[in-house]
Amino acid sequence: MTETHCPYCSLQCGMTLNRSGRTLEVQARALPRNVHSPSEEGALCRKGWTAAGLRGHRERITTPMVRDRASGAWRAVEWDDALDLVAGRLAALREAHGPDVNAVFGGGGLTNEKAYQLGKFARIALRTSQIDYNGRWCMSSAASAGNQAFGIDRGLPFPLADIEQTDVVVLVGSNLAETMPPAARHLDRLRERGGRVVVIDPRRTATAERADLFLQPVPGTDLPIALGVLHLLDAAGAVDEEYVAARTSGFEQVRQSVTGWWPERVERVTGVTATELRELADLLAGAERVMVLTARGAEQHSQGTATVLAWINVALALGMPGKPFAGYGCLTGQGNGQGGREHGQKADQLPGYRMIDDPAARAHVAAVWGVEPEVIPGKGRSAYELLDALGTPEGPRSLLVFGSNIVVSAPNARHVTERLESLDLLVVCDLVMSETAAIADVVLPITQWAEESGTMTNLEGRVILRQRAVTPPEGVRSDLDVIAGLAERLGAPGVWSTEPEEVFGELRRATAGSRADYGGITYDRIRAEDGVFWPCPDLAHPGTPRLFAEAFATPDGRARAVAVDHAGAAEEPSAAYPLHLTTGRVLAQYQSGAQTRRIKDLPDDGPFVEIHPLLAGRIGAVDGDLVHVATPRGEMRAPVRVAETIRPDTVFVPFHWVGANKLTNDALDPSSRMPEFKVCACAVSVAPAAGRAASQQRGTAAGVRG
Ligand SMILES: Nc1nc2c(c(=O)[nH]1)N[C@H]1C(S)=C(S)[C@@H](COP(=O)(O)OP(=O)(O)OC[C@H]3O[C@@H](n4cnc5c(=O)[nH]c(N)nc54)[C@H](O)[C@@H]3O)O[C@H]1N2
Ligand SMILES: Nc1nc2c(c(=O)[nH]1)N[C@H]1C(S)=C(S)[C@@H](COP(=O)(O)OP(=O)(O)OC[C@H]3O[C@@H](n4cnc5c(=O)[nH]c(N)nc54)[C@H](O)[C@@H]3O)O[C@H]1N2
Ligand code: SF4
Ligand SMILES: [Mo]
C-alpha cells in the first residue's frame, strides 16, 4: 500500500495505491489533515480513478527510438547509444553555432526535482538561455499580475477549503466542476452555509449550474466587467477606504480609470446587461468576505495580465486580500503548475523565483550549482517565442522536450509543427508516442507517476510527495536519469543526482532565502504533516498556508493597484469570420490527451464543436452533423454538438485532440507572453460531403421511427 497523489491536475487529490497481482488498485485518500484547514474526505474524479490504466499499456514506449528522416522508419536503440547520439549532436551544434543553438521545453506536470534539474541542465550543461515551458500557456498571466500587485506569485494565497468560509466567491473563467471536480463540493458547502457563488463564462457550464448569479459575456471581455463593477462600487461608496489607505498604493489612478465605465457602456462591450452588473456589484458591496478566483477563461488572452489586475483591483477595493477567508486567487491547472514555475524552467528565472538578471540571485544559485555566476546565461525566449524561432537563422536548431505535447497544445499549431519539423534535432522524452514524439528524431521512454517518487506543489502552494508504488517497465528511465546521462556526456560541472530526495536537498539550498523558500521542507515532514506550504525557511517553521495577513511581498508591504484599460481581443469578428471561437476542456480528457485518450475506461468521443441552436439553425446543422470551422490560421472538422448553454455568437472546441489549436491565435500578452487561446474570430459551416451523409442517415433514422 503506497500513499501518493493523482498524476493529473493541480488538485493533486490524495490516493492510496494497492498492488494485487499485476493490477494496481486506486483508492481515494483523505487529505489533508492540516491544522490550518478543515480535514477533507478523500475524493477523486473519473481521471483519477482510472489513472492506473497506463500501467502495462501496450502503447507505453519501453526502448529509446531513433527515426530515420528520409524513410520515416523508427529503430530501437540501446540507452547508451541514444544518449551518446543526443549528447554528440548537441555538442556539435554548440561547437558550430554557440550554446543558444540548443533549446529545452519543460512542463508543469514534472515534479519539482525534475523541473529544478532541467533548469540547471539548460543553464550549466547546455549553457543555453533558451529554456521555457508549457506553464507559460497556463497561469502565466495570473503569475505576472500576482507579481505586480502582491510582489509574489502563489496561485492561491490560502487553502482551497477556505472557499467554504467566504461569503461570495466570484469564479472568473473557471469551470472547476469539470476541471477539478472534487473542488466543486466547496461551492456546495459554501451555499449550504448561505454563501453565494458567481460564475462568469460564455457557456453555462456544470460550474455555472451551481451559481446564484451567472454572467455570460462575449469571450475576452472579463476586463471591462471588472472595470464596470469597480465603477459601481465606487459610486455606491462601497470602497473600503481605510484598507485602501493603509494597505495599497496606486488606488487613486485606478479609481480615475473606471469613471468612464458606466454599466450601459459595459453592457455594449460585454453583452452582460447593466442589471446583471448592478446585481453583482450589490452582492459584493453587501458581503463581509469576498473571494475572487480566476482561471484560464479570464487569463488566456492577449490582455490576460491586465484582466487579472482589474479583478485584483476589485478585491483590493473591497479590502479583501490578506483578510481571512477572502482575497484573490488563481486556480492553477497542471499537477505541478505551481512548483513547475518556481524552480527555473522559466526563461527569466532561477530556482526560488530568483530573477536570472539579478546579480545576488545568480551568485546564490551559482554557489549551489558549483559554478561561477558568469557561467549562468541570461534571459531566454518565452514558450511561444521560442517555438516560433526554431529553425530560423537566429533561432535554436535543436529542442529537447520534457513533459509537453506541443503539436496538440501550442497555439497556431500548424505553424509550430512546421517550426519543429525544421529543426536539426528534436528529442522528446515521454511515456507514449505522443503527436510530438511522433515527429521527433529521438524518443526517450520515461517512467511515470507510480513508478517514481518526487514532490509536487499543488494549487494552494502545498508541497506534497508522490511515492513510488511499482517497479517501472524494463527499459524505461526517469527524466532525472536522462538529464544526468546527458550532463555527464556534455562534461557539465556540478552534481547530477538521479535520486529525487537528493535532488530535493539541493533544491532546498537553491531556494533558501528566496520568495518560494523550501529550506525547511523535507520528505519526512511532508509524510508526517500531509504536505507543507511554502515559504518554509527552516525545519522549525510550520509553513505558510495563508499569505498577506500582515503585509504584501512588495518592497513597501503594500499591494499595488495597477490601472488598466480594455484593449479588446487581438482578432475581432469580421465579415469572413463572424463568430467568436473559444477553447477549453471536458471532464474525461486531460490536456493534449496523450495520456487520457489511451485509457480505455475513459470515454473518448473525439473532438466536437459546440454551438447554440440559433447558430445551428442559421447554418442548417443539427446535432451530430460534421461541421467545418475556419480561422485565418487553419481549419478543422468535427461533429457539432448543439447546446443551449453557449452564447449564440460563440463557438467552443475542446483542445484535447489535434485540430483545435490549428485555429487558435498566437497573439501574446505583452507582459506574461500568454497566447490568446480563449478568443479569436471564426466561421462555421456544415462540411459539404459528410454533412449530407449525416443528414441522409438522419432521414433513415426518422423513417424507422415513423
Ligand atoms: N478534465 C480536465 N481537467 C483539467 C485539465 C484538463 O485538461 N482536463 N487541465 C488542467 C489544467 S492544466 C488547467 S490550466 C485547468 C483549467 O481549468 P479551467 O480554467 O476551469 O478550464 P478551461 O476549460 O480551459 O476554461 C474554463 C472556462 O473558461 C470559459 N471561457 C472561455 N473563454 C472565456 C472568456 O473569455 N471569459 C471567461 N470568463 N470564461 C471563458 C470556458 O467556456 C470554460 O468553461 O484544468 C486542469 N484540470
Ligand atoms: N486551445 C487551447 N490550447 C491549450 C489550452 C487551452 O485552454 N486551449 N490550455 C493550455 C494549458 S493551460 C496547458 S497546461 C497546456 C498543456 O498541454 P501539454 O503541454 O501538451 O500538456 P500534456 O498533454 O499534459 O503533455 C504532457 C506530455 O508529457 C508526457 N508526460 C507525462 N508525465 C511526464 C514526465 O514525468 N516526464 C516526461 N518527460 N513526460 C511526461 C505526457 O505523456 C504528455 O505527452 O495546453 C495549453 N493549450
Ligand atoms: S481532480 Fe485532478 S487531481 Fe483529482 S482525481 Fe481528478 S484529475 Fe486527479
Ligand atoms: Mo494548464
Side-chain angles (χ1 to χ4, degrees), residues 137-139 296 300 333-334 585 591:
W137 299 337
C138 190
M139 38 19 78
R296 304 308 84 74
Q300 289 174 324
Q334 298 185 83
R585 297 161 162 82
Q591 312 278 62

Side-chain angles (χ1 to χ4, degrees), residues 479-494:
D479 293 290
L480 291 179
D481 290 306
V482 173
I483 293 169
L486 292 175
E488 186 194 320
R489 284 169 176 79
L490 289 163

